[in-house]
Amino acid sequence: MSTAYRQLPAVETLVNATSTRLNGHLPTRDVLVETARIVLGEARRAIADGGTAPPAEQLEELLIARVQAIAQPSLWPVINASGVIIQTNLGRAPLSRTALQAMEAVGAGYSNLEYDLEAGQRGSRHSHLNEILCRLTGAEATLTVNNNAAAVYLVLLALAAGREVIVSRGQAVEIGGGFRIPDVLRASGASLVEVGTTNRTYAHDYQAAITEHTALLMRIHTSNFRLVGFVHETSLADMVEVAQRNSIRVLDDLGSGSLLSTAQYGLAPEPTVQQAIATGADLVTFSGDKLLGGPQAGIIVGRRQLIEALKHHPLARALRLDKTTIAGLEATLQSYLRNRATEEIPVWQMISATPEAIRLRAVGCAAILGSQVEVVPCHSAVGGGSLPGETLPSYGVAVSTDQPDALARALRAGSTPVVGRIHEGRLLLDLRTVLPEQETMFVTAVRETLRDPY
Ligand SMILES: *Cc1c(COP(=O)(O)O)cnc(C)c1O
C-alpha cells in the first residue's frame, strides 16, 4: 500500500513540472499549488480505494486541465433551438440592440445615476424609470427592484407584515424553482388566508374572509399551472370591488406581465399591466425579463401613496437595481413608447415571426446541413410562466439518428453549445428561437457535430 503513495510526486515537484509545460499561460502560483493539492488528494483517495499511483505525466495533464478550466468563463452564450422563447434556464429574454448599447454606454463610465444634472446635486436612481413606466402602464407611481420575487416580497413585507393576505386556494401555487407563494408570504411575516376551493373561488368567498386584520387581497398568476374544466376564478374587477367596499387593497402579481396583447399572434390573451391598472389593482408586480423582454428586474406599479411606503422601507435599498440594468430596462421600455417593440425586442420578434418566415430559414439551414436533416413543422412555446399549454406553429430541422441522446449531448458540449429537444426519436432544432444573427454559428456547430462521431 505505502509504495503506491510514495510514487506520487510532492506538490512542489508537480507544480514545477506543470508550470514549465504551461509555458507562460500561468494562473498565479497560489492557484497552481492549491489545485495541485486537490489533484494529489484525489490520487491518494484512488489509491486508498485499491488503485495505483497515476504516472507523473498524467498528473500534470490533470492539473493543466483543471487550471485551464478555472481560467475559462463559466457563463457562456448558447444557441437556444428548444423552441421555448422565455427559457429561465437559458437566461430568459435576449436583450435588444438598443438595450445593450445603453448598458454599455452607462456601464463603461460614470453616469447621472443619482445625480440631478440640472440642479448639480444628488438625485434619485428611481427617477429614471418612473416617468416612462407611468406613461406605458397608466399607473400613478412605480418602483423597480431586482426581480419579481423581490417585488412581491417587498410589497408583502411593507404592507402586510403581521396582518392577513387573502389568496384564492387555486392560486397558492409554486411558480417554479421552488418559489412558493405561501412560503414568501410566511417569510414576509404576513399570514396567508386561503379562500374558496382548488377549482372555484367567488367574490363572496373573499368577502367572508375579510377581518380587521386583513391587509390585502392578492391575485397571483398561476404561471405554468392551469386548471381546466369546472373552474371559476374571481375576476380582478370583482376583487377590486370587494376590496374597495372594505377599504383594503388589491395586489396583482402578474408574473410575466405583458405590455402588448398576445392575442394578436393567435395566442390566448395574457393579462396586460395596463388592464390590471385600469381595472383598479392598487399594486401590480411583474418581471423585467419575461414578456417585457428586458433585463432581470421586478417592476411594481400602482398607487403613489403605497409606492412611497415601499420606497421608504429599509429593504428597498437592499433590492435596488444596478445602473446597467436601469439603462437596459429604460431602453427596452423606450421601444414600447415608440411602438417599435415587435421590431426591436427579441422576445416579440420571436413571438411575431410567421411560420412561413421560419420555414424559409429552416430550408436554408437544411440546404447546408445535407441529407441527414429534414425540415419539419413543430410547435414553439412562449414559456416564462405565461400562457401554459399554448403553442405557436413553427418549423425546425430534425436529425435522424440511432442515438438522439448522444447527439443532443454532443451539441451541448461544443464550443458554441446548441440546445435542442428530442421529439419522436429524432433531434429537433426549432428555428424560431435561434436568433437570426446566430444562424451561421448554428449551422456550423450542427454540421461539425454531425461530421464527427458522437
Ligand atoms: C416568474 C414569476 C415570479 C418570480 O419572478 P422573478 O422575476 O423570476 O423573480 C413571481 N410570480 C409569478 C406569478 C411569476 O410568474
Side-chain angles (χ1 to χ4, degrees):
M1 162 206 152
S2 55
T3 55
Y5 288 114
R6 261 185 273 123
Q7 283 162 7
L8 291 176
V11 172
E12 200 58 24
T13 315
L14 178 57
V15 165
N16 289 340
T18 308
S19 51
T20 316
R21 287 181 55 179
L22 277 166
N23 190 22
H25 300 283
L26 276 177
T28 65
R29 193 166 174 89
D30 285 352
V31 170
L32 209 52
V33 168
E34 193 57 37
T35 315
R37 287 211 176 95
I38 293 169
V39 167
L40 287 169
E42 286 167 0
R44 260 183 238 110
R45 269 196 300 284
I47 295 170
D49 290 342
T52 54
E57 184 97 339
Q58 195 182 325
L59 288 168
E60 288 164 28
E61 296 288 342
L62 265 172
L63 180 52
I64 289 171
R66 282 291 176 89
V67 294
Q68 283 176 342
I70 300 169
Q72 290 283 332
S74 159
L75 181 61
W76 192 248
V78 309
I79 293 177
N80 175 11
S82 73
V84 181
I85 296 171
I86 304 168
Q87 230 287 13
T88 297
N89 302 147
L90 301 183
R92 292 194 184 158
L95 299 174
S96 69
R97 278 286 124 216
T98 56
L100 290 168
Q101 281 159 5
M103 291 169 94
E104 182 170 8
V106 165
Y110 298 102
S111 62
N112 62 339
L113 179 65
E114 291 185 359
Y115 188 70
D116 182 335
L117 288 168
E118 205 177 314
Q121 63 191 28
R122 196 198 153 104
S124 159
R125 83 172 56 209
H126 301 307
S127 66
H128 305 290
L129 295 167
N130 185 57
E131 193 66 29
I132 191 165
L133 274 169
C134 289
R135 288 293 81 73
L136 289 170
T137 64
E140 290 172 9
T142 71
L143 177 64
T144 307
V145 292
N146 248 312
N147 55 25
N148 190 35
V152 171
Y153 182 57
L154 178 60
V155 172
L156 293 174
L157 199 64
L159 305 181
R163 301 175 66 198
E164 293 172 355
V165 177
I166 303 177
V167 176
S168 163
R169 207 172 291 276
Q171 295 172 4
V173 299
E174 176 174 319
I175 307 290
F179 182 75
R180 293 183 169 176
I181 292 294
D183 293 344
V184 178
L185 267 153
R186 210 169 304 121
S188 70
S191 43
L192 167 66
V193 177
E194 284 186 36
V195 294
T197 59
T198 302
N199 58 333
R200 294 174 85 86
T201 302
Y202 298 93
H204 59 77
D205 292 321
Y206 287 96
Q207 178 62 60
I210 292 172
T211 71
E212 58 187 308
H213 305 297
T214 308
L216 298 170
L217 305 187
M218 183 177 179
R219 185 172 81 148
I220 304 150
H221 190 295
T222 51
S223 200
N224 296 312
F225 168 80
R226 189 169 63 163
L227 285 170
V228 288
F230 189 58
V231 176
H232 180 85
E233 282 294 358
T234 309
S235 69
L236 181 63
D238 287 348
M239 288 177 69
V240 166
E241 197 202 297
V242 171
Q244 286 177 351
R245 210 186 305 138
N246 295 272
S247 303
I248 54 172
R249 306 291 193 171
V250 175
L251 164 63
D252 192 12
D253 177 19
L254 283 180
S256 205
S258 187
L259 293 179
L260 295 183
S261 161
T262 49
Q264 56 185 319
Y265 302 110
L267 293 162
E270 181 71 18
T272 66
V273 182
Q274 305 89 299
Q275 279 164 357
I277 290 294
T279 306
D282 296 288
L283 288 176
V284 180
T285 57
F286 58 104
S287 294
D289 54 353
K290 289 182 176 173
L291 277 173
L292 194 76
Q296 179 189 303
I299 302 169
I300 312 168
V301 303
R303 304 225 184 266
R304 181 170 293 112
Q305 180 207 343
L306 303 179
I307 295 285
E308 283 304 315
L310 301 182
K311 274 189 196 165
H312 292 111
H313 191 279
L315 197 73
R317 163 78 185 238
L319 302 177
R320 74 183 186 181
L321 285 182
D322 167 66
K323 60 180 180 288
T324 53
T325 308
I326 295 175
L329 195 53
E330 184 176 29
T332 305
L333 293 169
Q334 281 166 343
S335 291
Y336 287 94
L337 205 63
R338 291 195 301 270
N339 208 9
R340 296 273 303 159
T342 312
E343 290 77 19
E344 294 175 359
I345 298 177
V347 162
W348 286 98
Q349 290 172 329
M350 289 188 256
I351 290 175
S352 62
T354 64
E356 181 55 15
I358 302 170
R359 191 184 69 81
L360 291 174
R361 292 178 58 201
V363 168
C365 293
I368 303 170
L369 292 171
S371 58
Q372 244 184 300
V373 312
E374 189 192 343
V375 175
V376 291
C378 60
H379 291 277
S380 323
V382 176
S386 59
L387 306 165
E390 292 273 318
T391 59
L392 290 159
S394 184
Y395 281 89
V397 292
V399 189
S400 298
T401 163
D402 300 340
Q403 297 176 290
D405 291 302
L407 176 59
R409 203 176 316 119
L411 274 171
R412 292 196 306 269
S415 57
T416 309
V418 176
V419 178
R421 68 177 197 268
I422 291 164
H423 182 69
E424 293 173 351
R426 293 197 287 187
L427 182 74
L428 177 66
L429 303 168
D430 186 336
L431 264 295
R432 185 185 290 274
T433 50
V434 175
L435 304 175
E437 59 270 28
Q438 290 182 324
E439 206 169 290
T440 309
M441 271 196 301
F442 166 76
V443 172
T444 307
V446 176
R447 193 172 48 182
E448 282 174 5
T449 309
L450 288 176
R451 204 177 43 204
D452 300 334
Y454 47 84

